Amino acid sequence: MTLATEVKKLTESKPFYAVAGVGDFAVEKLRELPEQLSKLQSRRSELATDLPVKVREYADKAEGFARDLPEKAREYADQLTHRATEVYEDFATRGRKVVSKTTGTAALELEEVSEAAEPAVAEPVEPVKKTRSTKAQA
């Protein structure tokens, strides 16, 4: 199979679109990161003063969570399976949109790369014929 055929087969698969969707989502979230960091830095002192109180509250709640853990774990596993399927579908849909936006130019670039990747065919070299030169007469 040619490179173009392999790439076409890959790009028509759902996992390919899911990965494209994940990449697009990651870029979106990374763009939001500076704003979120500045918000957290402004709340740093507030969070530091609340920390001891929060630690005591969470320690008290931890015992109750430990008792309910086996039952909750089964519930969470069921929910997680369902949610993971939804997220996978969402990323695949998002990826299809991203890929469809760039398909036109990407297809042309891929075709150029595919053609460039084909091995070059050497043209036959004609042997150089040596001619005897006569000495110039003076």
Side-chain angles (χ1 to χ4, degrees):
M1 278 191 237
T2 65
L3 177 62
T5 305
E6 287 294 321
V7 169
K8 183 175 181 180
K9 187 169 116 178
L10 171 70
T11 59
E12 291 175 350
S13 68
K14 193 176 211 175
F16 172 79
Y17 290 116
V19 169
V22 167
D24 184 55
F25 181 75
V27 168
E28 178 183 309
K29 292 303 171 186
L30 286 172
R31 287 184 178 145
E32 295 172 1
L33 193 58
E35 180 182 331
Q36 290 176 351
L37 285 175
S38 65
K39 285 180 183 178
L40 286 174
Q41 285 176 342
S42 66
R43 292 185 48 212
R44 183 176 29 198
S45 63
E46 176 188 326
L47 293 172
T49 56
D50 291 345
L51 190 60
V53 174
K54 293 286 185 188
V55 168
R56 277 187 236 110
E57 288 176 15
Y58 290 135
D60 294 340
K61 290 180 182 179
E63 188 177 326
F65 287 135
R67 275 186 260 119
D68 298 338
L69 186 63
E71 183 182 330
K72 292 286 186 185
R74 281 189 293 277
E75 290 176 20
Y76 289 143
D78 292 341
Q79 291 174 2
L80 180 63
T81 302
H82 179 69
R83 182 66 183 133
T85 303
E86 288 178 349
V87 168
Y88 180 74
E89 293 293 331
D90 291 346
F91 281 142
T93 301
R94 184 181 187 132
R96 279 191 180 92
K97 290 176 185 174
V98 169
V99 170
S100 68
K101 285 180 191 175
T102 59
T103 299
T105 56
L108 292 175
E109 291 174 8
L110 181 62
E111 188 175 310
E112 292 170 4
V113 168
S114 177
E115 289 173 0
E118 293 178 13
V121 178
E123 294 185 25
V125 177
E126 294 182 26
V128 178
K129 294 181 182 178
K130 291 187 176 183
T131 58
R132 291 188 180 174
S133 61
T134 59
K135 292 185 178 180
Q137 295 177 350

